[in-house]
């Protein structure tokens, strides 16, 4: 009888231990799942919003037949507003913000898509090889935000880049013809919206002076709006439902 009672106690004890271990594992799995879905909840710096301006512009020249020709480029200026998280109580500063791992998915195989860094200000771009981003773009933390020198205030600021599409269409016009200076020019060249639509994905990394790194993969469908009809498309995204930062 004593042996039977001792065996029962061992079984009960083992069952309790097994149950506790199972609950710990279950809680850990749920926490991991919650983190993968929601990401970091209390970053020292947060992405407040993403603003996008889509339009088109042209490079007007005379061709060999002495006819005026407008070569059209579609552009998307993208701005990232980063600010200090008021709920984060520790002191910290931005060491750098990086954009990397750019991936372009397009339906129009002839379209050439490139990414450019700012020239003089966050809204001024020169679409030449000198300013083309090959692999990544890095803004270093400093005392103020200066997009020309690729610097962001170490407590937050507005930074960005521009994505431009070339080889999408040309329009020949008479010398006295008035041309629109925005996306409506695409309609004159017979370009359809599906001919210039593409998807871009990239990683955004915020690194702080306390050696914390937070990364999010961001996916954008461009251009914004029906620029062929309206000329300019804009987006101010403050919800950022699909932007999830995680430590790495």
């Amino acid at each position: 009888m004593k042996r039977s009672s001792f065996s029962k106690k061992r079984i009960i004890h083992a069952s309790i231990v097994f149950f506790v271990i199972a609950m710990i594992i279950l809680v850990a799995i749920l926490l991991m799942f919650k983190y993968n879905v929601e990401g970091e909840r209390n970053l020292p710096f947060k992405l407040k919003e993403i603003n996008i301006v889509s339009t088109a512009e042209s490079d007007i020249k005379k061709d060999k037949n002495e006819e005026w020709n407008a070569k059209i480029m579609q552009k998307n200026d993208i701005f990232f507003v980063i600010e200090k998280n008021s709920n984060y109580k520790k002191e910290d500063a931005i060491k750098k913000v990086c954009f990397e791992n750019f991936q372009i998915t397009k339906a129009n195989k002839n379209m050439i898509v490139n990414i450019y860094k700012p020239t003089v200000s966050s809204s001024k771009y020169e679409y030449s090889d000198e300013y083309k981003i090959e692999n990544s773009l890095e803004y270093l933390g400093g005392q103020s935000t200066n997009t020309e020198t690729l610097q962001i205030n170490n407590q937050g600021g507005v930074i960005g880049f521009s994505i431009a599409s070339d080889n999408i269409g040309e329009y020949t016009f008479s010398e006295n013809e008035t041309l629109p200076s925005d996306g409506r020019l695409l309609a004159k060249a017979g370009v359809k919206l599906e001919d210039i639509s593409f998807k871009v994905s990239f990683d955004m990394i915020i690194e702080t002076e306390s050696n914390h790194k937070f990364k999010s993969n961001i996916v954008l469908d461009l251009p914004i709006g029906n620029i062929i009809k309206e000329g300019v498309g804009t987006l101010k995204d403050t919800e950022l439902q699909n932007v999830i930062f995680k430590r790495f």
Side-chain angles (χ1 to χ4, degrees):
M1 292 294 292
K2 289 184 178 180
R3 289 183 179 179
S4 176
S5 176
F6 180 72
S7 297
K8 287 181 180 179
K9 287 182 179 180
R10 290 187 63 182
I11 292 173
I12 293 172
H13 178 72
S15 298
I16 293 174
V17 171
F18 177 79
F19 176 77
V20 171
I21 293 173
M23 290 302 297
I24 291 173
I25 294 173
L26 178 61
V27 170
I29 292 173
L30 290 175
L31 288 175
M32 290 175 61
F33 178 77
K34 180 181 174 65
Y35 186 79
N36 283 329
V37 172
E38 298 181 357
E40 193 74 25
R41 302 299 294 173
N42 193 32
L43 289 82
F45 298 92
K46 64 180 182 179
L47 180 61
K48 181 182 179 182
E49 62 188 61
I50 299 176
N51 298 323
I52 305 174
V53 180
S54 297
T55 188
E57 63 179 40
S58 61
D59 181 18
I60 299 176
K61 295 179 180 178
K62 268 189 177 182
D63 61 22
K64 60 183 179 180
N65 298 318
E66 294 297 308
E67 292 181 326
W68 289 99
N69 185 273
K71 185 180 180 181
I72 308 170
M73 179 183 67
Q74 194 278 309
K75 61 180 186 175
N76 309 276
D77 296 346
I78 306 172
F79 306 91
F80 302 86
V81 183
I82 301 171
E83 67 175 21
K84 186 80 164 64
N85 183 1
S86 59
N87 295 322
Y88 191 82
K89 303 307 179 183
K90 298 179 181 178
E91 289 189 6
D92 209 341
I94 295 173
K95 185 176 182 179
K96 59 184 175 180
V97 179
C98 299
F99 301 95
E100 59 184 38
N101 192 29
F102 289 93
Q103 303 290 330
I104 306 290
T105 305
K106 56 186 180 179
N108 182 356
K109 295 182 179 179
N110 295 321
M111 184 172 65
I112 300 171
V113 182
N114 288 305
I115 306 163
Y116 298 86
K117 61 184 179 181
T119 52
V120 179
S121 70
S122 60
S123 59
K124 296 291 184 181
Y125 291 89
E126 183 178 322
Y127 298 97
S128 64
D129 290 344
E130 179 183 356
Y131 298 99
K132 190 184 297 182
I133 300 170
E134 296 296 342
N135 300 307
S136 63
L137 175 64
E138 183 177 279
Y139 284 87
L140 296 178
Q143 294 301 310
S144 62
T145 298
N146 186 333
T147 54
E148 182 181 5
T149 59
L150 299 180
Q151 179 175 289
I152 179 173
N153 186 299
N154 60 24
Q155 295 301 302
V158 181
I159 57 176
F161 51 81
S162 185
I163 304 180
S165 301
D166 261 325
N167 200 36
I168 55 176
E170 296 183 3
Y171 179 65
T172 302
F173 61 99
S174 62
E175 188 171 355
N176 297 323
E177 184 177 354
T178 302
L179 291 181
S181 58
D182 53 29
R184 292 171 295 176
L185 185 60
L186 293 162
K188 286 188 169 290
V191 177
K192 298 179 181 179
L193 193 59
E194 54 265 31
D195 296 331
I196 58 171
S197 297
F198 65 96
K199 185 187 296 289
V200 58
S201 69
F202 53 90
D203 293 332
M204 180 178 181
I205 300 170
I206 301 176
E207 183 176 348
T208 70
E209 290 291 350
S210 58
N211 293 321
H212 292 144
K213 292 183 180 180
F214 306 92
K215 178 168 69 173
S216 177
N217 181 257
I218 298 174
V219 180
L220 302 174
D221 291 303
L222 300 171
I224 298 299
N226 189 350
I227 62 171
I228 293 177
K229 182 179 179 180
E230 299 171 355
V232 179
T234 61
L235 171 70
K236 182 177 181 179
D237 188 359
T238 58
E239 298 294 330
L240 303 175
Q241 294 180 350
N242 297 319
V243 179
I244 300 172
F245 282 90
K246 299 176 185 177
R247 290 176 184 262
F248 75 106

